[in-house]
Amino acid sequence: MRKKIYIHDVSLRDGSHAISHKLDKAQIIAYCQAAEAAGVPSVEVGHGNGLGASSIQIGLSRLEDVEMLSIARENLIKTKLAIHVMPGFATINKDLKRAFDIGVDLVREACHCTEADITERHIAFARERGKEVIGALMMTHMASKEILLEEALKMQSYGAEGVVLYDSAGAYLPHDVNEKISFLVANLNIPVGFHAHNNLGMAIANSLTAVESGARIIDGAIRGFGAGAGNAQLEVLVAVLQKMEYETGISLYKILDAAELAQDKILEEIPSIKNLSIISGLSGVFSGFAKHVSRLAKEYELDPRDIFIELGKRKVVAGQEDLIVEVAIDLKKINSTNNSKANG
Amino acid sequence: MDKKQIGFLKKDCADAASWSLRLLDELKNQKLLIAGGTGFMGSWIAEFIAFLNDNHQFNTSVVILSRNTDSFKDEKKHLATRSDIQFISRDIRNINELPPDISYIIHAAASPDNRNHVSNPIETIATITKGTDNLIDSAFKLLNLKKILYLSSGQVYGKNPIQKELISESDFGSFDCNKITAIYPEAKRLAEATCCAYSSQYKIPIVIARPFSFIGPYQSLSKPWAINNFINDALNNKTIRIIGNGEPIRSYMYPADLVVWILKILISGKINTAYNIGSPFGISLKDVAEKIVHIAQTNVNIDIKFNNNDSSHYVPNITLCENDLGLKINYDVEDTIRRSIAWFKLLPEASILE
């Protein structure tokens, strides 16, 4: 029997980073209908940082969460409506209850890779309401396979029905993927997944390595539409998995049609591996920081690469966007001091 | 709790009393302390003793020791307002003086919720190990102490290399003590060893019980265990999702049996002996889900995801209790699920979900 791989589409969530969270109604309708027609199992919708994350600090969404989810709900029938949830940004009363009322099917409960404890209440709440819950460990390049297993076991204990390792910074090479995914597959009772970013050009290769290492859930984004250098390109994933005789249940022609549509109607530019993305991958910093770093580099007249390298040294994680300003100010001071010494 | 719910529990207690009265005669005129007495098992013990006092003149009194007795008092007013039930709101690790006329102690303090174990592993270990130490130390001063029952767990058996259909009291396997999931069973094992040490060195009369799995009144459907989730989904018309292949074999004892077994082991169990408590009727998770759908009269789907090949058995051999203590099982799988669903249907919708 051909092995089944569950493809989870993060275009309308991770892709929000790439357009500063400015998804509009027409875009959501068009893409949901295209994904539905292609037979995509689940589509994640929302602000780049997930439910409840729209804010001045990390970017305001064009549409409220409720609006985005309601629009998507109306246009998804067989395809599950999914949300990305990080405790802290989202709370049960303020966000989860409303999302469930709208009819969300699947919850990606996410946290930094060493902080699974904070997901306990959300996972329990979602399971009690009959929702499917997949745990998401982010920035997993920062932790060993043993630590990741311990955190994944916590999520399994809380009721997660799968755990996905996020390469949020696009820092993995295939051997890292194999080491971590195969270790988790061997030690968990729930399926393991992988979420790639393409900073070092490895998103598809890493996703395939994950599959070959036993992962059963793979995240992809149409045309790679995601933070920084983008994610594993969904239509390429479908094609390659088809060639490797894995079953995804997604129609290749129709997902290619969806890619055309997304390129015309949603993407401001097709994700490519820019210099900063390479630096972000090498320094192990979350790809979603790229736009903020570029903006602040201009404002403070700094080399954005220096900011990324310094952020990497400080081991910053998603949600710490305000630290970029701090780093920029510090680097500016250092530069001023150095210039004074040089001139003095 | 409303009248219907209280009536339901009284019916269960009456059924339990109908076959066990002669077994429990020694409990009459005794004072019983339940450490961790606000949980599922403690609530059942209090409920049943109240029934025995009201209907069979047992004249037994109960002291419930727990960190937080407020929610028990709020939710179970019919028990909390009785003169034969008293409360001590203290952490088992800090108590140093018990009411002097206590004759029996049931030590049930420790949450079996595996979410707590992995989120608060240090607290979990400390409550079980230091708590056991401290409770037995405190019991030293009791002049009338007849026996302590330590409620351990069927999880202490670990993974047995030879999978047996029924786990006997000597069927010990192992687990990887470096895994976060081993925290609870390892702590329980140490607590059992602690009981053995006190019994040996200071001749404290201690008996051990190893409970397996249960379903019924006073359990919460929000617990992260398969049958609780299945019933919750069925009652809310949601698809029942089985992560693995549906083959693991489990068994479920109905609490009206459980409460008699606990009390009988307390008064008649041999010192330094461990007894399994649970149902010997194994059933696969797939069959559990199907029975629930049938009994709940719902059309929800059962989605078996086949994500692992687990076909483990977690079913106790109970011949020791049957032969030595005259205990028996009165609810088979069907009865247990039927009665449980009838109970959960009595609860307001919010209580089912929360």
Side-chain angles (χ1 to χ4, degrees):
Chain A
M1 198 173 87
R2 294 171 68 182
K3 277 188 182 168
K4 282 187 180 169
I5 300 297
Y6 186 100
I7 300 284
H8 180 71
D9 184 345
V10 297
S11 310
L12 296 186
R13 196 276 305 166
D14 215 321
S16 288
H17 285 294
I19 53 171
S20 304
H21 318 288
K22 300 300 179 210
L23 274 176
D24 67 29
K25 183 177 179 180
Q27 289 170 331
I28 296 172
I29 292 173
Y31 188 73
C32 285
Q33 288 177 351
E36 173 83 32
V40 173
S42 48
V43 169
E44 207 169 279
V45 180
H47 183 281
N49 294 57
L51 196 68
S54 177
S55 62
I56 293 168
Q57 288 87 347
I58 54 172
L60 287 164
S61 294
R62 170 171 284 155
L63 302 176
E64 298 268 330
D65 286 334
V66 171
E67 231 175 326
M68 283 192 276
L69 294 175
S70 302
I71 296 163
R73 178 71 284 165
E74 282 170 21
N75 291 280
L76 295 175
I77 305 161
K78 280 190 180 169
T79 298
K80 292 175 187 167
L81 172 59
I83 48 174
H84 182 87
V85 178
M86 288 194 249
F89 285 137
T91 67
I92 289 176
N93 284 325
K94 178 171 70 74
D95 306 292
L96 275 180
K97 281 183 179 170
R98 286 196 300 173
F100 292 168
D101 288 344
I102 292 165
V104 161
D105 304 300
L106 193 158
V107 179
R108 273 287 174 92
E109 189 63 35
C111 65
H112 181 62
C113 60
T114 56
E115 295 173 351
D117 314 54
I118 64 169
T119 63
E120 180 185 338
R121 285 196 63 231
H122 281 193
I123 292 177
F125 179 76
R127 285 298 308 269
E128 284 155 25
R129 270 152 180 73
K131 304 298 176 190
E132 201 173 331
V133 187
I134 304 289
L137 293 171
M138 302 189 296
M139 301 291 283
T140 54
H141 69 284
M142 296 176 84
S144 68
K145 63 180 182 184
E146 290 81 9
I147 297 277
L148 293 176
L149 175 62
E150 194 168 313
E151 299 302 307
L153 281 168
K154 288 180 189 174
M155 287 179 152
Q156 180 178 291
S157 301
Y158 301 153
E161 294 156 273
V163 170
V164 177
L165 297 190
Y166 281 48
D167 179 18
S168 314
Y172 273 53
L173 296 176
H175 71 268
D176 303 314
V177 179
N178 175 257
E179 183 199 8
K180 290 175 177 175
I181 294 286
S182 55
F183 188 65
L184 261 64
V185 168
N187 289 287
L188 291 173
N189 286 329
I190 52 179
V192 175
F194 186 67
H195 173 105
H197 276 273
N198 203 34
N199 299 56
L200 300 178
M202 305 305 293
I204 292 289
N206 282 344
S207 298
L208 292 183
T209 305
V211 168
E212 298 284 271
S213 306
R216 291 291 164 263
I217 305 167
I218 298 293
D219 287 4
I222 207 77
R223 285 283 192 266
F225 184 44
N231 297 97
Q233 195 168 337
L234 181 55
E235 63 277 22
V236 178
L237 263 182
V238 172
V240 176
L241 288 171
Q242 183 174 308
K243 186 169 181 177
M244 293 174 74
E245 300 197 334
Y246 285 101
E247 173 72 50
T248 65
I250 298 176
S251 156
L252 179 61
Y253 279 12
K254 287 187 175 165
I255 200 67
L256 292 175
D257 293 344
E260 289 286 346
L261 176 137
Q263 190 174 328
D264 291 345
K265 297 193 170 172
I266 308 176
L267 277 67
E268 290 170 358
E269 57 175 328
I270 295 176
S272 60
I273 308 173
K274 300 195 173 66
N275 288 351
L276 263 195
S277 298
I278 297 170
I279 295 293
S280 124
L282 279 180
S283 55
V285 174
F286 172 48
S287 315
F289 282 14
K291 281 185 183 286
H292 303 291
V293 169
S294 297
R295 180 173 51 80
L296 288 163
K298 258 188 201 165
E299 193 177 327
Y300 287 86
E301 297 171 326
L302 292 165
D303 186 332
R305 293 172 294 190
D306 290 339
I307 299 181
F308 258 119
I309 298 291
E310 183 57 28
L311 287 167
K313 283 182 192 163
R314 297 192 189 190
K315 297 189 185 303
V316 295
V317 299
Q320 290 182 306
E321 279 82 347
D322 48 347
L323 272 182
I324 307 172
V325 182
E326 198 176 306
V327 164
I329 292 169
D330 288 350
L331 287 177
K332 185 76 183 169
K333 275 184 198 162
I334 292 167
N335 285 357
S336 305
T337 313
N338 290 344
N339 288 341
S340 308
K341 279 181 187 168
N343 297 332
Chain B
M1 289 176 70
D2 65 23
K3 276 185 183 170
K4 271 189 185 170
Q5 292 160 16
I6 294 169
F8 189 101
L9 294 169
K10 282 193 172 155
K11 166 80 170 63
D12 277 350
C13 288
D15 290 344
S18 69
W19 67 276
S20 65
L21 278 184
R22 61 177 179 80
L23 297 175
L24 303 176
D25 212 46
E26 282 178 57
L27 268 184
K28 285 181 176 167
N29 305 310
Q30 303 299 315
K31 188 161 190 168
L32 178 65
L33 176 106
I34 314 169
T38 52
F40 163 65
M41 293 191 187
S43 299
W44 263 99
I45 296 165
E47 190 77 48
F48 189 50
I49 286 178
F51 180 86
L52 294 175
N53 288 342
D54 291 347
N55 297 279
H56 300 282
Q57 295 74 50
F58 262 54
N59 191 33
T60 305
S61 55
V62 173
V63 179
I64 288 175
L65 164 65
S66 175
R67 260 188 292 208
N68 180 5
T69 56
D70 290 347
S71 57
F72 183 101
K73 289 175 184 168
D74 277 353
E75 291 160 14
K76 297 158 189 126
K77 287 197 175 72
H78 69 292
L79 296 176
T81 50
R82 295 176 62 96
S83 59
D84 50 5
I85 297 179
Q86 297 165 307
F87 294 89
I88 302 174
S89 293
R90 292 281 290 279
D91 190 310
I92 187 176
R93 289 170 289 178
N94 304 328
I95 191 131
N96 48 29
E97 203 164 332
L98 300 171
D101 47 349
I102 295 286
S103 44
Y104 287 106
I105 294 176
I106 295 174
H107 174 13
S111 163
D113 188 329
N114 44 322
R115 296 174 298 196
N116 292 342
H117 306 158
V118 295
S119 287
N120 299 302
I122 295 170
E123 177 84 1
T124 299
I125 289 181
T127 304
I128 294 172
T129 57
K130 290 181 186 167
T132 302
D133 239 13
N134 195 52
L135 183 69
I136 302 175
D137 265 344
S138 308
F140 264 39
K141 301 163 199 159
L142 300 176
L143 296 175
N144 299 324
L145 182 70
K146 293 186 173 173
K147 209 180 288 172
I148 299 173
L149 167 62
Y150 176 58
L151 289 175
S152 177
S153 166
Q155 289 189 41
V156 295
Y157 294 114
K159 270 193 181 168
N160 208 302
I162 303 163
Q163 184 153 291
K164 298 178 87 176
E165 284 194 11
L166 299 174
I167 301 168
S168 299
E169 283 83 351
S170 56
D171 288 336
F172 275 95
S174 62
F175 23 59
D176 182 347
C177 61
N178 265 332
K179 269 194 176 170
I180 189 84
T181 46
I183 294 291
Y184 180 72
E186 281 286 17
K188 284 285 187 182
R189 277 196 187 199
L190 179 56
E192 283 201 27
T194 303
C195 292
C196 174
Y198 275 98
S199 184
S200 170
Q201 194 166 335
Y202 297 119
K203 308 303 172 210
I204 301 280
I206 307 181
V207 61
I208 291 166
R210 297 184 184 136
F212 277 62
S213 309
F214 310 90
I215 188 71
Y218 285 146
Q219 269 220 348
S220 163
L221 290 184
S222 69
K223 292 291 177 191
W225 305 314
I227 193 168
N228 303 57
N229 285 336
F230 294 174
I231 294 176
N232 191 25
D233 287 336
L235 294 184
N236 287 288
N237 288 315
K238 306 275 186 191
T239 297
I240 293 176
R241 300 192 301 281
I242 300 177
I243 288 169
N245 52 19
E247 289 175 11
I249 304 291
R250 301 290 180 263
S251 72
Y252 301 97
M253 185 186 228
Y254 191 68
D257 277 344
L258 165 70
V259 69
V260 176
W261 283 50
I262 289 175
L263 293 172
K264 183 60 183 170
I265 294 171
L266 171 70
I267 55 180
S268 304
K270 285 182 200 155
I271 307 299
N272 252 344
T273 302
Y275 297 87
N276 284 343
I277 304 184
S279 164
F281 305 127
I283 178 171
S284 73
L285 291 183
K286 176 174 171 284
D287 290 344
V288 170
E290 285 173 356
K291 272 198 189 300
I292 288 169
V293 169
H294 173 69
I295 292 169
Q297 296 179 315
T298 168
N299 292 322
V300 301
N301 292 324
I302 298 168
D303 181 8
I304 302 178
K305 294 184 177 282
F306 296 99
N307 283 317
N308 61 55
N309 294 320
D310 181 14
S311 55
S312 59
H313 288 233
Y314 186 63
V315 182
N317 180 322
I318 55 166
T319 48
L320 191 60
C321 273
E322 287 176 324
N323 295 343
D324 288 10
L325 304 176
L327 291 167
K328 61 176 184 170
I329 297 287
N330 295 278
Y331 298 81
D332 64 15
V333 179
E334 184 99 7
D335 299 332
T336 299
I337 294 176
R338 192 175 294 284
R339 194 80 184 138
S340 299
I341 286 177
W343 164 261
F344 290 117
K345 279 185 170 177
L346 285 181
L347 304 185
E349 197 180 342
S351 306
I352 292 173
L353 287 166
E354 300 294 357

